Amino acid sequence: MRDHRKTGYLLLLLVLFGILVAGCASAADSEEDTSGQESIGDGVIRLYYLDADEDSFHTVDYTLENTEDPLLASYEVVSRLSDTEDSHTEIYKPAIYDDVVVNSISIDGVEETVDLGVGYRQLDAAEAILLRAAMVKSLVQIDGVESVRFTINGDSLLDSDDNPIGPMTKDTFILEEEADSLYDSEENVTLYYADMEGSGLIEYKTELSADDNMPMETRVLLELMTAPENTDMQSPLPSDLTINQTQIHNGVCYVDLSKDIENALPGVEEKVMVYAMVNSITALGNATSVQFTVDGEKMESLRDFDSFHLMMTNDYSLVDSAIKGTKQ
């Protein structure tokens, strides 16, 4: 397996799939580089290959030969994504790995099903996400294809909890040109700090900026680690906590924390700690639920809070609606 990619790539891959564009042209293949514009001529789509380091994408414009039949066009795209022969392979590489076979493609309405061979199961998490993203972002540009579902030898593709993964659309994966709402942005946000008794939450409105490739979800959690001055609020999180990563996929914000989340925080109930994070993240509007892991693993309970392993939605029952704070 391609062991040069580290687990740390997952943050980049799941939250922000950057598109690296370099100069490349091949008249024989009817391909030429894009400059990132969304508008492409009739019959021209943007193929998503892997970049030279296989940790992000390189896009290439491609003129479809089969423009009238979406199924034939899909097989054509898969063939192109599987092979960069006669192309500049020092710049980009196939998006479908050599050990992954596409068994079949079928279309039902505007939903396409791509059946992959068992070689897919040998990919690590980063490789699997790259492959799915490249195929989906390429295939949904075909007229008549709006979503792509994956199966493995006829069986549904499952997530880490053995739940079937549904069809994926052009919005499933966040790309560089779509990331303005997550990166290098300023937003009016609502944070939830612990009250001085540590048994409830206080709503606090402020403005935050996320830069240096830090998603706003991470920025919000870091902000919760320090309570605003001259207020009747306290931080709901341990000061030595590390936010390993936050990533959004299909409306879920996956948050990986360091083991310091287990450190006792005197005077703050565990439920308050958890929902300070959940409410603050979901208030951003990019995710409707939150799933926590600790150093990459689900943790059944956080001391007295026994639902820490579950996917959680906001809960405002702890919020004192009579007390609200605003940054002056």
Side-chain angles (χ1 to χ4, degrees):
M1 195 58 61
R2 292 149 283 271
D3 57 4
H4 65 281
R5 279 184 301 281
K6 305 299 183 182
T7 304
Y9 281 138
L10 288 175
L11 174 59
L12 171 67
L13 305 180
L14 293 169
V15 181
L16 177 64
F17 290 94
I19 303 176
L20 304 182
V21 180
C24 170
S26 175
D29 290 334
S30 301
E31 299 180 0
E32 59 182 29
D33 272 341
T34 85
S35 56
Q37 293 90 346
E38 285 301 320
S39 178
I40 306 178
D42 291 342
V44 180
I45 67 170
R46 182 165 299 141
L47 296 177
Y48 287 76
Y49 290 98
L50 301 185
D51 69 357
D53 294 327
E54 298 184 49
D55 60 7
S56 188
F57 292 121
H58 177 90
T59 56
V60 174
D61 279 3
Y62 175 72
T63 302
L64 285 169
E65 297 177 5
N66 298 283
T67 57
E68 302 299 326
D69 188 327
L71 184 58
L72 290 178
S74 297
Y75 275 108
E76 182 182 344
V77 166
V78 166
S79 176
R80 302 303 303 178
L81 294 179
S82 302
D83 183 18
T84 58
E85 187 178 356
D86 298 327
S87 299
H88 297 272
T89 54
E90 71 275 12
I91 297 176
Y92 60 98
K93 298 182 178 181
I96 301 176
Y97 303 104
D98 290 340
D99 45 2
V100 177
V101 175
V102 176
N103 294 328
S104 64
I105 304 173
S106 60
I107 297 179
D108 183 5
V110 293
E111 180 179 303
E112 184 164 281
T113 298
V114 177
D115 187 54
L116 303 175
V118 293
Y120 174 87
R121 301 190 190 280
Q122 304 305 312
L123 301 180
D124 63 32
E127 293 167 338
I129 292 168
L130 279 170
L131 182 148
R132 295 202 309 267
M135 293 187 69
V136 171
K137 296 297 286 188
S138 298
L139 289 167
V140 295
Q141 296 173 70
I142 298 171
D143 288 341
V145 178
E146 295 183 4
S147 63
V148 179
R149 181 191 300 272
F150 291 97
T151 56
I152 311 298
N153 275 6
D155 296 327
S156 296
L157 180 64
L158 305 178
D159 62 18
S160 58
D161 293 322
D162 291 332
N163 296 314
I165 297 177
M168 304 174 191
T169 70
K170 64 182 180 65
D171 298 321
T172 298
F173 301 94
I174 302 172
L175 303 182
E176 186 175 16
E177 66 268 21
E178 304 162 339
D180 289 344
S181 64
L182 297 179
Y183 295 90
D184 300 324
S185 60
E186 291 188 356
E187 293 185 27
N188 293 318
V189 301
T190 302
L191 305 178
Y192 292 85
Y193 287 94
D195 60 22
M196 296 309 293
E197 290 73 33
S199 58
L201 293 170
I202 297 177
E203 178 184 295
Y204 181 77
K205 295 184 180 296
T206 187
E207 184 176 272
L208 294 180
S209 61
D211 50 25
D212 296 328
N213 286 339
M214 178 185 295
M216 190 61 80
E217 284 71 21
T218 298
R219 183 73 179 85
V220 159
L221 295 182
L222 292 174
E223 192 73 11
L224 287 178
M225 293 170 62
T226 304
E229 296 181 355
N230 303 317
T231 63
D232 293 328
M233 296 182 284
Q234 62 175 318
S235 170
L237 303 178
S239 60
D240 52 356
L241 177 65
T242 297
I243 313 301
N244 293 332
Q245 64 182 28
T246 61
Q247 56 195 33
I248 294 178
H249 182 62
N250 286 347
V252 180
C253 183
Y254 295 90
V255 179
D256 189 50
L257 306 171
S258 69
K259 288 188 178 297
D260 302 294
I261 191 66
E262 301 179 73
N263 296 341
L265 189 61
V268 177
E269 297 178 7
E270 286 75 16
K271 187 174 182 179
V272 171
M273 180 185 298
V274 171
Y275 281 102
M277 294 187 286
V278 173
N279 289 359
S280 297
I281 288 173
T282 56
L284 293 172
N286 299 319
T288 57
S289 59
V290 180
Q291 174 77 73
F292 292 102
T293 54
V294 176
D295 286 342
E297 302 292 336
K298 287 185 180 180
M299 191 167 68
E300 288 291 322
S301 62
L302 180 63
R303 294 186 300 281
D304 291 338
F305 186 76
D306 59 6
S307 301
F308 197 57
H309 62 293
L310 300 177
M311 191 175 294
M312 286 171 274
T313 57
N314 53 34
D315 182 350
Y316 298 118
S317 64
L318 295 170
V319 180
D320 188 338
S321 58
I323 304 176
K324 296 185 179 181
T326 303
K327 183 177 181 180
Q328 302 298 321

